[in-house]
Protein backbone atom coordinates (compact mmCIF):
# COMPACT_ATOMS: atom_id res chain seq x y z
CA UNK A 1 0.00 0.00 0.00
CA UNK A 2 1.34 3.44 -0.86
CA UNK A 3 1.25 6.49 1.33
CA UNK A 4 -1.46 8.97 0.44
CA UNK A 5 -3.55 11.75 1.89
CA UNK A 6 -6.54 9.50 2.48
CA UNK A 7 -5.03 6.20 3.60
CA UNK A 8 -2.78 5.81 6.66
CA UNK A 9 0.45 4.06 5.74
CA UNK A 10 1.02 0.47 6.78
CA UNK A 11 4.74 1.20 6.75
CA UNK A 12 4.97 3.50 9.76
CA UNK A 13 6.59 2.54 13.05
CA UNK A 14 5.77 4.65 16.10
CA UNK A 15 8.36 5.13 18.86
CA UNK A 16 7.62 6.76 22.22
CA UNK A 17 10.43 8.95 23.54
CA UNK A 18 9.92 8.97 27.32
CA UNK A 19 12.20 11.90 28.19
CA UNK A 20 11.30 14.08 25.19
CA UNK A 21 7.50 13.86 25.49
CA UNK A 22 7.32 12.96 21.82
CA UNK A 23 6.55 10.14 19.41
CA UNK A 24 8.87 9.56 16.43
CA UNK A 25 7.18 8.29 13.27
CA UNK A 26 9.52 6.12 11.16
CA UNK A 27 8.84 5.16 7.55
CA UNK A 28 10.03 1.54 7.53
CA UNK A 29 10.67 1.65 3.76
CA UNK A 30 13.29 4.39 4.05
CA UNK A 31 14.12 3.83 7.74
CA UNK A 32 13.93 7.61 8.26
CA UNK A 33 11.98 9.62 10.83
CA UNK A 34 9.09 11.15 8.90
CA UNK A 35 7.41 13.11 11.70
CA UNK A 36 7.68 13.94 15.40
CA UNK A 37 4.49 14.25 17.45
CA UNK A 38 4.36 16.20 20.73
CA UNK A 39 2.60 14.24 23.48
CA UNK A 40 1.82 14.44 27.17
CA UNK A 41 4.46 13.86 29.85
CA UNK A 42 6.37 10.61 29.79
CA UNK A 43 4.99 8.72 26.76
CA UNK A 44 5.76 5.10 27.56
CA UNK A 45 3.93 2.70 25.26
CA UNK A 46 1.90 2.85 22.06
CA UNK A 47 -0.42 0.62 20.01
CA UNK A 48 -2.18 0.89 16.66
CA UNK A 49 -5.86 -0.01 16.34
CA UNK A 50 -6.68 -3.01 14.10
CA UNK A 51 -8.28 -0.79 11.45
CA UNK A 52 -5.07 1.22 11.22
CA UNK A 53 -6.80 4.58 11.70
CA UNK A 54 -5.49 5.47 15.15
CA UNK A 55 -2.54 5.02 17.45
CA UNK A 56 -2.99 5.23 21.21
CA UNK A 57 -0.07 6.44 23.34
CA UNK A 58 -0.02 6.27 27.16
CA UNK A 59 1.75 8.97 29.16
CA UNK A 60 3.09 7.67 32.46
CA UNK A 61 3.82 11.04 34.07
CA UNK A 62 0.45 12.71 33.53
CA UNK A 63 -1.78 9.60 33.68
CA UNK A 64 -3.33 10.00 30.24
CA UNK A 65 -3.87 8.21 26.96
CA UNK A 66 -3.81 10.19 23.74
CA UNK A 67 -5.34 9.37 20.37
CA UNK A 68 -3.22 9.96 17.27
CA UNK A 69 -5.01 10.18 13.93
CA UNK A 70 -2.58 8.27 11.72
CA UNK A 71 -3.68 9.94 8.49
CA UNK A 72 -2.35 13.28 9.74
CA UNK A 73 -0.09 12.12 12.60
CA UNK A 74 -1.80 14.55 14.96
CA UNK A 75 -3.24 14.11 18.45
CA UNK A 76 -7.02 14.50 18.41
CA UNK A 77 -7.97 13.59 21.99
CA UNK A 78 -6.50 13.29 25.49
CA UNK A 79 -8.16 10.82 27.86
CA UNK A 80 -7.61 10.61 31.62
CA UNK A 81 -6.87 7.02 32.71
CA UNK A 82 -5.44 5.54 35.92
CA UNK A 83 -2.17 6.25 37.70
CA UNK A 84 1.13 5.47 35.98
CA UNK A 85 -0.20 3.86 32.78
CA UNK A 86 2.32 1.34 31.49
CA UNK A 87 1.01 -0.44 28.42
CA UNK A 88 -1.74 -0.31 25.85
CA UNK A 89 -3.39 -3.02 23.74
CA UNK A 90 -6.31 -3.04 21.33
CA UNK A 91 -9.18 -5.23 20.20
CA UNK A 92 -11.62 -4.43 17.41
CA UNK A 93 -13.81 -2.25 19.63
CA UNK A 94 -11.72 -1.34 22.67
CA UNK A 95 -8.35 -0.09 23.83
CA UNK A 96 -6.93 -1.45 27.10
CA UNK A 97 -4.55 0.57 29.29
CA UNK A 98 -2.73 -1.00 32.25
CA UNK A 99 -2.46 1.37 35.22
CA UNK A 100 0.58 0.11 37.13
CA UNK A 101 0.09 2.14 40.31
CA UNK A 102 -3.63 1.32 40.62
CA UNK A 103 -3.74 -2.38 39.77
CA UNK A 104 -6.38 -1.65 37.15
CA UNK A 105 -7.05 -1.65 33.43
CA UNK A 106 -8.87 1.28 31.79
CA UNK A 107 -11.14 0.22 28.91
CA UNK A 108 -11.55 2.85 26.19
CA UNK A 109 -14.20 2.63 23.48
CA UNK A 110 -12.59 3.16 20.07
CA UNK A 111 -15.89 4.57 18.77
CA UNK A 112 -16.39 7.20 21.49
CA UNK A 113 -12.75 7.58 22.59
CA UNK A 114 -13.88 7.57 26.22
CA UNK A 115 -13.20 5.30 29.21
CA UNK A 116 -16.20 2.99 29.53
CA UNK A 117 -14.97 0.68 32.29
CA UNK A 118 -12.18 0.16 34.84
CA UNK A 119 -11.20 -3.46 35.58
CA UNK A 120 -9.42 -4.51 38.77
CA UNK A 121 -6.47 -6.85 38.13
CA UNK A 122 -3.30 -7.78 40.05
CA UNK A 123 -0.39 -5.77 41.45
CA UNK A 124 1.64 -3.61 39.07
CA UNK A 125 0.05 -4.60 35.74
CA UNK A 126 2.64 -3.81 33.08
CA UNK A 127 1.61 -5.64 29.90
CA UNK A 128 -1.63 -6.14 27.98
CA UNK A 129 -2.23 -7.94 24.68
CA UNK A 130 -5.39 -9.27 23.03
CA UNK A 131 -5.99 -12.16 20.66
CA UNK A 132 -8.69 -14.28 19.04
CA UNK A 133 -9.01 -18.06 19.06
CA UNK A 134 -9.40 -18.69 15.33
CA UNK A 135 -11.23 -21.95 15.95
CA UNK A 136 -14.16 -20.30 17.71
CA UNK A 137 -13.72 -16.52 17.21
CA UNK A 138 -13.36 -16.14 20.94
CA UNK A 139 -11.71 -12.87 21.90
CA UNK A 140 -9.58 -12.63 25.03
CA UNK A 141 -6.82 -10.55 26.52
CA UNK A 142 -3.90 -11.21 28.85
CA UNK A 143 -2.76 -8.70 31.48
CA UNK A 144 0.61 -9.37 33.13
CA UNK A 145 0.62 -8.52 36.84
CA UNK A 146 4.33 -8.09 37.45
CA UNK A 147 4.28 -7.99 41.26
CA UNK A 148 1.57 -10.64 41.67
CA UNK A 149 3.37 -13.11 39.36
CA UNK A 150 0.08 -13.74 37.58
CA UNK A 151 -1.83 -13.21 34.35
CA UNK A 152 -5.37 -11.85 34.42
CA UNK A 153 -7.38 -13.28 31.52
CA UNK A 154 -9.94 -10.86 30.11
CA UNK A 155 -13.11 -11.59 28.21
CA UNK A 156 -12.89 -8.73 25.71
CA UNK A 157 -16.60 -8.89 24.83
CA UNK A 158 -17.80 -8.47 28.41
CA UNK A 159 -14.64 -6.64 29.55
CA UNK A 160 -14.17 -8.58 32.76
CA UNK A 161 -11.59 -10.90 34.32
CA UNK A 162 -12.57 -14.54 33.87
CA UNK A 163 -9.49 -16.20 35.35
CA UNK A 164 -6.20 -15.43 37.09
CA UNK A 165 -3.33 -17.87 36.50
CA UNK A 166 0.31 -18.22 37.66
CA UNK A 167 2.90 -16.81 35.27
CA UNK A 168 6.38 -17.24 36.65
CA UNK A 169 8.27 -14.45 38.41
CA UNK A 170 7.71 -10.89 37.18
CA UNK A 171 5.70 -11.40 33.97
CA UNK A 172 6.03 -8.47 31.59
CA UNK A 173 5.23 -8.37 27.86
CA UNK A 174 3.00 -10.82 25.98
CA UNK A 175 2.78 -12.11 22.40
CA UNK A 176 0.24 -14.58 21.01
CA UNK A 177 0.70 -17.00 18.15
CA UNK A 178 -1.47 -16.30 15.12
CA UNK A 179 -4.08 -18.93 16.05
CA UNK A 180 -4.25 -17.66 19.63
CA UNK A 181 -3.41 -21.07 21.10
CA UNK A 182 -0.10 -20.10 22.72
CA UNK A 183 1.06 -17.05 24.66
CA UNK A 184 4.75 -16.20 24.94
CA UNK A 185 5.48 -14.05 27.99
CA UNK A 186 8.71 -12.48 29.20
CA UNK A 187 9.51 -12.87 32.91
CA UNK A 188 12.43 -12.01 35.19
CA UNK A 189 14.06 -15.34 34.40
CA UNK A 190 13.22 -15.98 30.74
CA UNK A 191 10.25 -16.60 28.47
CA UNK A 192 7.35 -18.84 29.44
CA UNK A 193 4.88 -20.44 27.03
CA UNK A 194 1.28 -20.72 28.21
CA UNK A 195 -1.40 -22.79 26.47
CA UNK A 196 -4.40 -20.51 26.21
CA UNK A 197 -6.83 -23.44 26.36
CA UNK A 198 -5.20 -25.33 29.23
CA UNK A 199 -4.15 -22.04 30.90
CA UNK A 200 -0.97 -23.71 32.09
CA UNK A 201 2.74 -23.09 31.59
CA UNK A 202 3.94 -25.55 28.95
CA UNK A 203 7.56 -24.49 28.53
CA UNK A 204 10.25 -22.16 29.88
CA UNK A 205 12.90 -20.76 27.54
CA UNK A 206 16.19 -19.27 28.68
CA UNK A 207 17.04 -16.04 26.86
CA UNK A 208 19.24 -13.03 27.74
CA UNK A 209 19.27 -10.99 30.95
CA UNK A 210 16.11 -9.14 31.99
CA UNK A 211 13.92 -9.83 28.94
CA UNK A 212 11.24 -7.18 28.37
CA UNK A 213 9.62 -7.01 24.92
CA UNK A 214 8.56 -9.88 22.68
CA UNK A 215 7.09 -10.08 19.18
CA UNK A 216 6.20 -12.97 16.87
CA UNK A 217 6.79 -12.94 13.11
CA UNK A 218 3.74 -13.00 10.78
CA UNK A 219 4.65 -16.50 9.56
CA UNK A 220 4.47 -17.72 13.15
CA UNK A 221 7.96 -19.20 12.99
CA UNK A 222 10.03 -16.96 15.25
CA UNK A 223 9.81 -14.75 18.33
CA UNK A 224 12.17 -11.87 19.04
CA UNK A 225 12.91 -10.85 22.63
CA UNK A 226 14.54 -7.62 23.81
CA UNK A 227 16.93 -8.33 26.70
CA UNK A 228 17.41 -5.11 28.62
CA UNK A 229 20.05 -6.54 30.95
CA UNK A 230 22.68 -7.50 28.36
CA UNK A 231 21.86 -5.34 25.31
CA UNK A 232 20.82 -8.24 23.11
CA UNK A 233 17.84 -9.64 21.24
CA UNK A 234 17.13 -13.38 21.38
CA UNK A 235 15.62 -15.02 18.29
CA UNK A 236 13.49 -18.05 19.25
CA UNK A 237 12.44 -20.79 16.85
CA UNK A 238 8.82 -21.48 17.86
CA UNK A 239 8.78 -25.01 16.46
CA UNK A 240 11.57 -26.06 18.83
CA UNK A 241 11.09 -23.34 21.47
CA UNK A 242 14.84 -22.74 21.43
CA UNK A 243 17.03 -19.68 20.94
CA UNK A 244 18.69 -19.86 17.53
CA UNK A 245 20.48 -16.49 17.53
CA UNK A 246 21.58 -13.78 19.94
CA UNK A 247 21.90 -10.34 18.34
CA UNK A 248 23.71 -7.41 19.93
CA UNK A 249 21.74 -4.15 19.67
CA UNK A 250 21.71 -0.79 21.51
CA UNK A 251 21.62 -0.08 25.24
CA UNK A 252 18.70 -1.46 27.28
CA UNK A 253 16.61 -2.88 24.42
CA UNK A 254 12.97 -3.28 25.39
CA UNK A 255 9.95 -3.37 23.13
CA UNK A 256 10.14 -5.21 19.80
CA UNK A 257 7.85 -4.96 16.76
CA UNK A 258 7.87 -6.82 13.44
CA UNK A 259 7.13 -5.22 10.07
CA UNK A 260 4.08 -6.52 8.20
CA UNK A 261 6.20 -8.19 5.53
CA UNK A 262 8.00 -10.17 8.23
CA UNK A 263 11.42 -9.04 7.03
CA UNK A 264 12.52 -6.78 9.87
CA UNK A 265 12.38 -6.57 13.66
CA UNK A 266 12.47 -3.07 15.16
CA UNK A 267 13.85 -2.73 18.70
CA UNK A 268 13.49 0.34 20.94
CA UNK A 269 16.69 0.96 22.93
CA UNK A 270 15.59 2.59 26.19
CA UNK A 271 19.17 3.25 27.32
CA UNK A 272 19.88 5.49 24.34
CA UNK A 273 18.08 7.46 21.67
CA UNK A 274 17.90 4.77 19.02
CA UNK A 275 15.96 2.00 17.34
CA UNK A 276 17.85 -1.04 16.04
CA UNK A 277 16.64 -2.64 12.79
CA UNK A 278 17.25 -6.38 12.51
CA UNK A 279 17.15 -8.19 9.16
CA UNK A 280 15.29 -11.35 10.16
CA UNK A 281 16.64 -13.46 7.30
CA UNK A 282 20.19 -13.04 8.59
CA UNK A 283 19.51 -12.15 12.25
CA UNK A 284 21.80 -9.15 12.10
CA UNK A 285 21.42 -5.42 12.72
CA UNK A 286 21.41 -3.55 9.43
CA UNK A 287 20.55 -0.05 10.63
CA UNK A 288 20.34 2.10 13.74
CA UNK A 289 17.84 4.97 13.67
CA UNK A 290 18.20 7.99 15.95
CA UNK A 291 14.96 9.04 17.66
CA UNK A 292 14.19 11.00 20.85
CA UNK A 293 15.51 10.50 24.38
CA UNK A 294 14.79 7.17 26.10
CA UNK A 295 13.02 5.19 23.37
CA UNK A 296 10.56 3.18 25.45
CA UNK A 297 7.62 1.99 23.34
CA UNK A 298 7.28 0.82 19.76
CA UNK A 299 4.35 -0.12 17.55
CA UNK A 300 3.76 -1.09 13.94
CA UNK A 301 0.26 -1.52 12.53
CA UNK A 302 -0.92 -5.06 13.37
CA UNK A 303 -1.84 -7.65 10.74
Amino acid sequence: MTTGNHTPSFHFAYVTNFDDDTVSVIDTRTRKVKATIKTGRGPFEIAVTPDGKYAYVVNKRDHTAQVIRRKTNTIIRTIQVGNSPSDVGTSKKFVYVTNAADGTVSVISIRTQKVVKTIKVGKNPVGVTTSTMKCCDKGFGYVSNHDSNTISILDVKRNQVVKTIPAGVGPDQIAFTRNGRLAYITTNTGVIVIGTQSRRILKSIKVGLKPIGIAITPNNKFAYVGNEGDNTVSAICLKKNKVIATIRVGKKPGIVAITQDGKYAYVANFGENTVSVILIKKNKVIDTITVGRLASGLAIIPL
Side-chain angles (χ1 to χ4, degrees), residues 45-67:
E45 288 289 0
I46 191 165
V48 178
T49 56
D51 62 9
K53 292 181 179 180
Y54 305 102
Y56 277 72
V57 57
V58 292
N59 302 307
K60 187 176 279 289
R61 288 174 174 157
D62 63 12
H63 320 301
T64 62
Q66 291 180 302
V67 187

Side-chain angles (χ1 to χ4, degrees), residues 37-160:
I37 305 167
K38 188 67 177 175
T39 65
R41 295 185 300 119
F44 198 64
E45 288 289 0
I46 191 165
V48 178
T49 56
D51 62 9
K53 292 181 179 180
Y54 305 102
Y56 277 72
V57 57
V58 292
N59 302 307
K60 187 176 279 289
R61 288 174 174 157
D62 63 12
H63 320 301
T64 62
Q66 291 180 302
V67 187
I68 297 171
R69 189 190 302 276
R70 295 189 61 248
K71 184 167 65 174
T72 56
N73 281 325
T74 55
I75 289 175
I76 59 171
R77 187 180 293 269
T78 299
I79 305 162
Q80 200 72 32
V81 290
N83 290 310
S84 193
S86 289
D87 198 11
V88 55
T90 68
S91 66
K92 288 183 179 180
K93 294 183 178 180
F94 300 102
V95 170
Y96 300 88
V97 177
T98 54
N99 304 306
D102 292 346
T104 63
V105 173
S106 297
V107 183
I108 299 169
S109 166
I110 292 176
R111 183 178 63 83
T112 66
Q113 295 175 353
K114 294 180 179 180
V115 174
V116 294
K117 192 170 186 178
T118 301
I119 305 170
K120 188 70 177 174
V121 289
K123 295 179 181 177
N124 191 17
V126 294
V128 57
T129 305
T130 66
S131 187
T132 301
M133 289 291 289
K134 300 298 183 183
C135 62
C136 45
D137 196 31
K138 183 180 179 182
F140 60 94
Y142 272 23
V143 177
S144 56
N145 305 305
H146 188 274
D147 293 356
S148 297
N149 301 326
T150 60
I151 293 290
S152 296
I153 302 176
L154 304 180
D155 179 328
V156 299
K157 290 185 178 179
R158 295 181 292 169
N159 285 324
Q160 64 184 40

Side-chain angles (χ1 to χ4, degrees), residues 264-283:
Y264 305 99
Y266 277 58
V267 186
N269 299 310
F270 188 69
E272 57 186 52
N273 313 329
T274 66
V275 171
S276 297
V277 183
I278 296 170
L279 177 62
I280 287 174
K281 185 177 181 180
K282 296 185 177 180
N283 281 324

